[in-house]
Amino acid sequence: MPTSQPATQSQSLHIGFAVVLGVALIGFLVGTGRPPLSTGPLAASHGATEDAQTHPTAPTYRALRDAPWRDGAAWATDTAGLRGPSVLDPVDVEGLDKLPALADRSARRAYDGAPPTIPHAVRQDSAAECLACHDEGLRLRGRIASPVSHEAFTSCTQCHVVSQAPMPGAPLPPDAAFGPNGFVGMASPAQGARAWSIAPPVIPHRTLMRERCMSCHGPNGRDALRSSHPDRQSCEQCHAPAADLDMRPGLAALPSTPFGQP
Amino acid sequence: MSSPDRTEDRRTFLKAAALAAATAVAARGTRPAQAAPQPPLSRMGDGVTWDKAPCRFCGTGCHVQVGTRGGRVVAIAGDPQAEVNKGLLCVKGYHVGLALYGADRLTTPLLRVDGKQVPISWERAISIMADRVELDPAGFAFYGSGQWTIPEGYAAQKFMKGGLANNHIDPNARLCMASAVTGFLSVYGVDEPAGTYTDLDKADVIILWGNNPAEMHPVLFSRVIDRRSRGEKVTIIDIGTRRTRSTAHADHYLEFQPHTDLAIANGIAQQLLANGTWDKDFVEAHCNFRKSGEKPDLNGVESSFQEYAALVAEYTPERVEELSGVPADDIRMLGRLFGRRDLKITSLWCMGMNQHTRGTDINRLVHAVHLLSGHFGKPGDAPTSLTGQPSACGTAREVGTLAHLLPGGRLVANDEHRKQAEELWNLPAGRINPKPGAHTVEMFSLWSKPKADGGSIHTIYVQVTNPGQTLPNRHLLLDPGVKDPDKFLIVSDVYPTATTAVADLVLPAAMWVEKNGMYGNSERRTQQWFRQVLPPGQARDDCWQTIALAHELHRRGMPGMKDKDGRFLFEMKDEAGRVVPVWDWAHYYDLNVDRVLFEEYRTFTRLKHKDLAPYDEYVRSRGLRWPVVQQADGTWRETQFRFAEFDDPYVEKGKGFQFYHSVTKDDRALIWFADYRPPPESPDEQYPLWLCTGRVLEHWHSGTMTRRVPQLRDAMPQAYLEMHRADAAKLGIQNGELVTLESRRGSIDLPVWLDGRGRPPQGSVFVPFFDERLLVNRVTLHEHCPISKQPDYKKCAVRVRRKVV
């Protein structure tokens, strides 16, 4: 019978589909289930049993999602935070303490004005990858990717190096003989002076390499350092920079020490 | 917002101080290398004094602003007034101030007694040094550096050649740029580039000849690539043996077999002639031809255009491809670029061409390509060599602290030059020895060999450098295990190094802004700075050490320490005409010794038209590029483009170009031919891989300073071996695994880093040399260029195997 042939075919096709779907569903459920050695995601392989050491278990996708990655532990998918704050959002900086924010800022700098080190792994050869987050800046789950404070140079790793080397393998024992470096860097200024209580404060730091005020004071800056009015774009209209801090040419701001007597 | 009155400021300040102390404690817990941060200031730089200085590190010559407070460096900033760096620095420069404050600074002289280094007084140290000189003045050698300040190098030079009548003085610059020197000398008759960094702003095409400026001269590299951000087009062509950070920004990457750069340069010349695109007018008016003779030397033999054309004709793109591995089409592309008059082309090179057993020849060939194509002497058209050390040009090359040179480009072997030096130094006629001294590799060979076997050098005095780490084939030249007990090593340095570990006498030195100084960078720019903080403990200036040793010998009656009128060689008088005892440390800064020495040295610089301005002009400026010539109105004018009429005051009007120190004495430069020949050692069955050594961004040379800076050390804590994945797979090597790297000379164990900082092609590996725990110079070859005597650290044959634990 010429008509029964296609019917049988379509029937077996349906059965086939059902089987495939069923297997896929089971596979999906198994895949999203709890990882067998769970607890500390990637750390699981440093783990408990001898067998796990010789044959480390590959981490599950969930484990990878939750894995701490150096300082970027808090980084994870959070689409809600992707829009980022706008300069038009109201800002309430009243009562915020600047000092912890400054201490946090100085943790990655040898002195105020030093290029900060990079707290996460980087690829080394493209500014585009840095600027993906650091051009406009980014806030994600309480972490900030600061916008660059200066005009965009294209060789980021010329000045900014990673704070932890990405080399594989066991490191050599550290150079204990070197001891701690005794350098004590210049601290950050806390608050620009005001002529009277509600006068706009002057800029207490140099603006060299910090010409983009919004880097620290904009919507993606640390809360306590933010401006209450980031929508106003002409900062130096009200906040005076200091010619001597900026060492403008012709100011004789660099008195040379005669005969090198410090 | 807190109310801004004074009391509130004070309260904030105290709170800040407490907070800073708390974070310091916390920071100590996690990162012991970090010192306590200071409390926030009410205004940046309160109480901070700022002064200028050139950066301590590479030959770029950036100016930094140094912030000091309470006798210590507390901050660094790029100097916006400096033309070299325009306010920008690199990560080493931003952290240069930390290099002063490593915990293990040397602070007292140390003498080896029964195998241990014990503290002694400076008086005793100087006396022991004088004893060693008196033992046999002809067997005393001075090994210095391209980090010597100009006055330090000048004092050492005068002490050795003018005082001891001994030419055994050579700098580490021999390991660094000697081939560039012989290149410039044999092409133009006078050393150092004709152009300046201005070429980098004007060039349409930048060619990197075995050069990685993104890491080695970062400020110059970003000066080029940042032009692209401003909408300018600049084409970068990387001719290299390994992919680097510079390659990432290059438009073309031409990978060649090590050593075959000579074939590539000849291939470009062949294309220019074959296409008829060489610059006939320029060549006919300004060039002669020359080729290497049977025995390689500085002068070569005369040649002609016809002979040159015939010799170069062999280097067809196909033959060059066969030799170098660079596709013939890419050689044609280079030929077309050089053939275009509407483009400006600047070539950059550094160690890739200089650390080469054919170093002088490859330098000559790159100059030849530029001269033949007329890409010379216009802004943006220049063959420019870069230097690795801050004063390789200023001190080693210009003061001439090499075994065969006298100050100002003079030669010890030249009767007239010796006579001039004797007159300028007021020495009796015939004082200066006419025989060139031992160059670096020879100096250490003569020192490491017993006297009975012809090892005629008994003592080497090392200042500002670390040969224990940087000499090639270290086992042969400076190995503590084979040191002859009769030989003596004196080392002045700021930290313990691989060299101080071998030393019999260690002297603690002042560094950078702990002393007055002057440097000369890659673009002929002479720079000056003042002392801004005091050195730690008993550390003292290298220049003082030399003068104190000279005076001790003078006191003991050594005739060489007197000039022909019986005065001490380094006699210095104050404004009232009284002699200042500068050999006594307590009086060393009673006058500006740098100024006195520089003014004396300046008189040497006219012969080769490398005129320097008075010291005080450099105090006012951020460096000046020589020749610095006084104008009719009394001001001093620097020169950007040498030999070009539009800028160089020494070119006669109407000549256009004038090579006024021409080898052939006819104002013409020389276009050299040199053929490609295989290197002294190539990979074979036993040692199947090429080894290249070099530097990384974070560390400067042997790492003595930068490895003590936490930010730099954390980013690059140790040396490693770069290798291609396919080679690793073949050997069964995992990323991060410890391997043994060995050559016919020695071996080291170190970890492999696949796809790390750089990416060598299959058949080749790379190891940086900054890590004194992993001395790659146990493995390297000490073969050197027969003309420049510069060793080849860039290629030798090695094998790699998994370390059997």
Side-chain angles (χ1 to χ4, degrees), chain A residues 28-142:
Chain A
F28 174 75
L29 291 174
V30 168
T32 53
R34 292 185 67 81
L37 283 170
S38 120
T39 66
L42 284 178
S45 59
H46 291 290
T49 67
E50 199 176 318
D51 184 59
Q53 275 174 357
T54 32
H55 307 288
T57 316
T60 62
Y61 290 118
R62 172 180 284 186
L64 279 177
R65 192 195 69 184
D66 294 335
W69 175 242
R70 300 209 169 113
D71 288 2
W75 288 71
T77 320
D78 184 357
T79 46
L82 280 180
R83 189 187 66 86
S86 149
V87 291
L88 298 173
D89 291 346
V91 183
D92 185 10
V93 291
E94 196 65 35
L96 290 180
D97 191 351
K98 277 195 170 59
L99 298 175
L102 286 173
D104 181 45
R105 186 177 176 277
S106 58
R108 300 201 190 289
R109 290 166 169 82
Y111 52 90
D112 191 273
T117 53
I118 308 170
H120 54 81
V122 292
R123 277 236 332 222
Q124 301 159 352
D125 40 48
S126 158
E129 286 164 54
C130 307
L131 293 176
C133 294
H134 292 283
D135 188 10
E136 290 307 316
L138 195 65
R139 263 169 194 263
L140 214 52
R141 282 204 184 169

Side-chain angles (χ1 to χ4, degrees), chain A residues 71 93-104 106-117 122-127 150-175 177-199 201-210 224 226 241-262, chain B residues 1-2 4 9 12 15-16 19 23 31-45 48-52 65 69 72-81 87-95 97-99 101-104 214 218-219 221-222 225-226 229-230 245 248-249 495 516 530-534 589-592 595 619 622 697-698 707-720 735-737 751-754 756-759 771-774:
Chain A
D71 288 2
V93 291
E94 196 65 35
L96 290 180
D97 191 351
K98 277 195 170 59
L99 298 175
L102 286 173
D104 181 45
S106 58
R108 300 201 190 289
R109 290 166 169 82
Y111 52 90
D112 191 273
T117 53
V122 292
R123 277 236 332 222
Q124 301 159 352
D125 40 48
S126 158
H150 48 74
E151 66 170 288
F153 295 108
T154 31
S155 185
C156 309
T157 48
Q158 169 179 326
C159 301
H160 302 279
V161 293
V162 290
S163 53
Q164 195 178 356
M167 283 175 207
L172 286 183
D175 301 282
F178 286 3
N181 188 297
F183 177 85
V184 181
M186 182 173 72
S188 303
Q191 167 71 57
R194 294 171 192 256
W196 68 93
S197 64
I198 56 163
V202 298
I203 301 175
H205 55 76
R206 69 170 61 177
T207 52
L208 174 68
M209 300 297 282
R210 296 180 182 184
R226 288 173 64 183
D244 64 332
L245 289 182
D246 284 339
M247 297 186 188
R248 282 181 215 151
L251 268 183
L254 285 178
S256 279
T257 331
F259 285 17
Q261 293 298 359
Chain B
M1 284 259 146
S2 54
D9 273 357
T12 310
K15 203 162 77 175
L19 186 92
T23 37
R31 303 177 84 75
Q34 294 289 359
Q38 293 180 349
L41 310 166
S42 61
R43 183 172 190 268
M44 181 184 179
V48 175
T49 308
W50 294 89
D51 203 344
K52 64 156 190 172
Q65 295 171 339
R69 183 171 53 194
R72 290 170 65 91
V73 175
V74 297
I76 297 293
D79 192 337
Q81 292 185 59
L88 192 65
L89 295 173
C90 77
V91 68
K92 289 189 294 293
Y94 281 114
H95 294 95
L98 281 72
Y101 300 112
D104 55 340
V219 166
F221 190 67
S222 63
I225 60 172
D226 288 343
S229 320
R230 296 193 293 271
R245 280 189 178 175
H249 296 270
Y495 289 109
N516 288 347
F530 283 126
R531 180 164 77 155
Q532 292 157 42
V533 295
L534 295 175
Y589 275 89
D590 284 1
L591 56 63
N592 186 346
R595 188 171 188 272
V619 175
R622 297 297 190 279
L697 170 72
E698 292 86 352
R707 288 186 65 236
R708 285 167 172 89
V709 176
Q711 286 77 4
L712 302 174
R713 190 179 55 213
D714 290 349
M716 184 55 80
Q718 66 185 64
Y720 53 84
N735 199 8
E737 187 175 339
V752 167
W753 189 10
L754 301 175
R757 181 61 61 86
R759 297 182 186 195
D771 194 336
E772 72 182 46
R773 299 163 301 177
L774 300 167

